[in-house]
Amino acid sequence: MRENRSLGKVGFLIPTCLLLQVLLVLGNPTVSQNSSEEEKKSYRNYKVLRTQPVDNKDVLDKLMTFAGVEDISFWKYPVMNGSADIMASPDKVAYVEEAFKDMGIEHMTVINDVEELFQGQNPDVDDEYTLKQNGGMSWSRYHRYNEIISYAKQQAARDGMVSYQSIGTSTEGREIGLVKISDGTGGNKPAIWMDGGIHAREWISPATVTYIMHKLITDINYRDLVQNFDWYIVPIINVDGYEYTHTRDRLWRKTRRPNQGTHCVGTDPNRNWGFKWGGPGSSGNPCEQTYRGPKPFSEPETSAVANAVLARRNQIKMYLTFHSYSQLWLLPWSYTRQRPSDYSELQRLGLIGARALASTYGTRYRVGSAPEILYEAAGGSDDWAKGAAGIKYSYTLELRDTGTYGFALPARQITATGEETLRGVAATARALHKTLNTASG
C-alpha cells in the first residue's frame, strides 16, 4: 500500500516507551521478516484483530501507519467503508488495541492464536490410493513445491494432451513450470491462461489451480473446455517464497531476492509488473510487504511469466490469476478508479462466473474492480495482462475465506474451494466461447 510513515505523526497518543520501541523498529525494520535463524518462525499467541468499517480518511491514514512496523502486519488492508484485519504479536496486541481506542474505532478478535491455526491447517497423512492414482498429488492437504512440479511432469508424461516446460528459473534456482492442456490441434485454438502462487503465503491458490488442472485432464464433464480452448497453467509463480512458507515463515508474502543496500529481502511480485508500475498501492520501501522492486520485472519469476504470456498473446483470450483471501472476483483496473471502456463486458462474464461458483456451496463472491471493493494496487499481473499484453478478459480471483481462517484456510476446504472455483471458471469459459463464436460469426 502506501509508503511507511512515522507513528509519531499520527493524531493519537503513544506512550513514550512504546514510541521508542516503534522508532527503533522503524530504524531497523527487518528483524521479524529476515531472521537468519534456522528454526521456523512461530506465531504462537499472535492475534488477528478486525476493525469496524472505517468511514474517515484520517483514521484510515492512522491505520496505515502500522505498515512496516515489527510484529504488526496487515492480513487485510484498511479501505474506506471497509474493515481491516491486523495481526499483532503478543507484545504488540495491547499497543494496537490502545491505538484503536485512541482512534475511536471498535474492533474484535477474529483469530486468537495464529500458530494454533497453522498447526491444524495441514494434515501429515494422506490418502495413499489418491496419491497413487494422481501421481503423488491429492487435495486433502497442501503440497510442497517439489510435489507439485513432479505431479505436473508426471501428467505430461502419462497423458498425450498434457505438456510441460520450464519457462524460467527463480532467484534460488527453482524452475517455474508451465503446463499446457490441449486436445492436439497444434495450439491454434483460443487459449485461457491461469496462474497461482504469486503471493507465497496464499496456499489455497496453488492448491486450487492444480485441482482445476486435474479436473480438466481427467473429468469428462469438462472435456468441452479442452475441446474449445487450449489451457496454459502456471501452478506456482513465486516458487522460492512458497517453499519458504513451508520451511521457515508461514506468512512470508514476497519473493526471496535480496535487495541491495538493505537487509530486507524480497519484492511483492504482484506490484512488479510493467504496466503502471510504481503507482498507488505499491511501496518504494524494500522492507514493506508491498515493495514494488527497483524496476518493473526485476524479479526473475514475473519476468519469466510475462515472457511466456507475451509469446502467446495472440492466442490467449482470458487471463485468470488466483489469490486469497476475501472471496472477490476482481476486474481491471487495479491501479486506478477509472474503469476500462469495456468494463460492462468484463463484469458480465465475471458475474456469470461468480453466480456459478455460488451455486455449488453457496459461497458468495463480490464482483468489481479492486479500488471499488478492495484497494488500489498498481503493478499487478491482471492490469498488465490487459493493458500491456492486450488480453481483453483479465480477472483476479481472491479465494476463500472472508477472514475466519484467512491465510490459514484448513486443508479440509481445498476440495470444496476447488470444486466451486472450477464451476465458476467453467461457466466463464463457456460464456467466453459463445462470445467469441458470435463475434467471429
Side-chain angles (χ1 to χ4, degrees):
M1 294 296 287
R2 298 181 179 89
E3 291 284 352
N4 192 28
R5 296 186 292 271
S6 170
L7 288 178
K9 295 181 180 179
V10 300
F12 55 89
L13 297 176
I14 303 176
T16 301
C17 60
L18 288 174
L19 177 58
L20 289 174
Q21 290 177 11
V22 172
L23 290 176
L24 285 171
V25 169
L26 290 176
N28 181 24
T30 66
V31 177
S32 65
Q33 66 167 329
N34 300 299
S35 175
S36 61
E37 307 110 10
E38 291 300 322
E39 67 270 15
K40 191 171 184 179
K41 180 176 175 62
S42 172
Y43 288 93
R44 179 65 61 193
N45 295 322
Y46 279 62
K47 300 182 185 299
V48 178
L49 310 176
R50 176 170 296 167
T51 70
Q52 68 183 65
V54 177
D55 59 4
N56 182 295
K57 188 178 184 304
D58 288 340
V59 172
L60 203 67
D61 290 341
K62 291 172 185 176
L63 284 173
M64 280 307 303
T65 60
F66 288 128
V69 177
E70 181 189 10
D71 287 336
I72 300 174
S73 63
F74 289 107
W75 280 32
K76 185 188 294 182
Y77 281 90
V79 293
M80 192 64 69
N81 299 316
S83 60
D85 290 353
I86 300 174
M87 184 184 72
S89 70
D91 293 338
K92 294 292 176 64
V93 169
Y95 164 69
V96 173
E97 291 182 325
E98 185 65 25
F100 287 161
K101 183 178 179 181
D102 290 337
M103 293 181 210
I105 59 175
E106 300 292 330
H107 74 280
M108 62 183 294
T109 300
V110 290
I111 298 176
N112 196 53
D113 187 337
V114 172
E115 184 65 28
E116 185 176 323
L117 281 189
F118 289 158
Q119 294 300 320
Q121 182 183 19
N122 204 25
D124 294 329
V125 296
D126 214 330
D127 181 345
E128 292 298 326
Y129 176 79
T130 302
L131 288 174
K132 185 176 180 180
Q133 292 295 108
N134 296 320
M137 194 69 156
S138 76
W139 289 272
S140 57
R141 66 177 175 88
Y142 293 103
H143 288 265
R144 297 279 291 274
Y145 162 81
N146 283 335
E147 294 173 306
I148 293 173
I149 294 300
S150 175
Y151 165 73
K153 291 180 177 179
Q154 286 190 48
Q155 293 306 300
R158 68 198 288 185
D159 194 309
M161 70 177 187
V162 184
S163 60
Y164 174 92
Q165 71 175 107
S166 174
I167 57 173
T169 305
S170 70
T171 296
E172 296 179 349
R174 295 181 179 86
E175 69 180 39
I176 302 159
L178 172 65
V179 174
K180 179 183 178 183
I181 303 174
S182 174
D183 67 355
T185 56
N188 297 319
K189 291 184 298 185
I192 294 175
W193 179 283
M194 295 195 307
D195 61 51
I198 288 183
H199 287 143
R201 63 190 178 184
E202 298 167 8
W203 284 8
I204 190 60
S205 167
T208 298
V209 170
T210 54
Y211 181 91
I212 295 173
M213 182 172 75
H214 172 68
K215 287 294 186 177
L216 289 173
I217 296 169
T218 62
D219 194 332
I220 60 173
N221 293 310
Y222 299 102
R223 190 50 48 89
D224 64 302
L225 300 182
V226 180
Q227 292 171 343
N228 294 331
F229 294 99
D230 288 338
W231 294 77
Y232 293 101
I233 303 169
V234 177
I236 313 172
I237 292 179
N238 185 5
V239 291
D240 294 345
Y242 180 76
E243 187 65 9
Y244 194 77
T245 62
H246 284 270
T247 60
R248 299 284 289 280
D249 185 345
R250 176 62 187 83
L251 287 175
W252 190 262
R253 169 184 167 99
K254 302 190 288 183
T255 63
R256 291 296 302 163
R257 184 183 58 80
N259 294 307
Q260 283 189 326
T262 174
H263 293 295
C264 293
V265 174
T267 288
D268 183 340
N270 207 40
R271 302 294 187 274
N272 190 237
W273 298 71
F275 181 78
K276 305 299 181 181
W277 176 86
S282 69
S283 173
N285 183 345
C287 300
E288 286 202 16
Q289 296 277 33
T290 54
Y291 176 52
R292 56 183 170 254
K295 62 181 180 179
F297 298 119
S298 61
E299 308 309 288
E301 298 87 353
T302 57
S303 177
V305 174
N307 289 336
V309 170
L310 289 175
R312 301 160 178 84
R313 65 189 301 177
N314 294 327
Q315 185 190 4
I316 299 171
K317 305 304 177 185
M318 184 162 66
Y319 173 85
L320 299 170
T321 184
F322 296 84
H323 289 253
S324 72
Y325 60 97
S326 284
Q327 295 175 196
L328 306 173
W329 197 297
L330 299 176
L331 325 174
W333 302 112
S334 293
Y335 77 94
T336 178
R337 290 185 175 274
Q338 181 178 347
R339 293 177 172 181
S341 59
D342 58 353
Y343 182 87
S344 60
E345 172 62 5
L346 298 175
Q347 184 183 49
R348 180 180 72 86
L349 260 64
L351 287 169
I352 289 172
R355 289 167 185 153
L357 188 155
S359 71
T360 312
Y361 293 108
T363 308
R364 299 292 175 182
Y365 274 50
R366 296 174 64 195
V367 179
S369 70
E372 292 173 346
I373 62 176
L374 192 58
Y375 48 73
E376 290 179 310
S381 67
D382 51 356
D383 280 2
W384 176 87
K386 184 172 180 62
I391 301 169
K392 179 180 177 66
Y393 297 94
S394 178
Y395 301 103
T396 294
L397 273 68
E398 295 279 354
L399 301 169
R400 290 191 186 190
D401 57 7
T402 57
T404 301
Y405 296 100
F407 300 120
L409 192 73
R412 63 180 178 271
Q413 292 196 31
I414 294 174
T415 298
T417 305
E419 287 177 351
E420 67 190 11
T421 308
L422 171 59
R423 192 76 64 88
V425 168
T428 306
R430 287 165 179 150
L432 174 61
H433 176 65
K434 183 177 181 180
T435 298
L436 294 176
N437 280 349
T438 301
S440 63

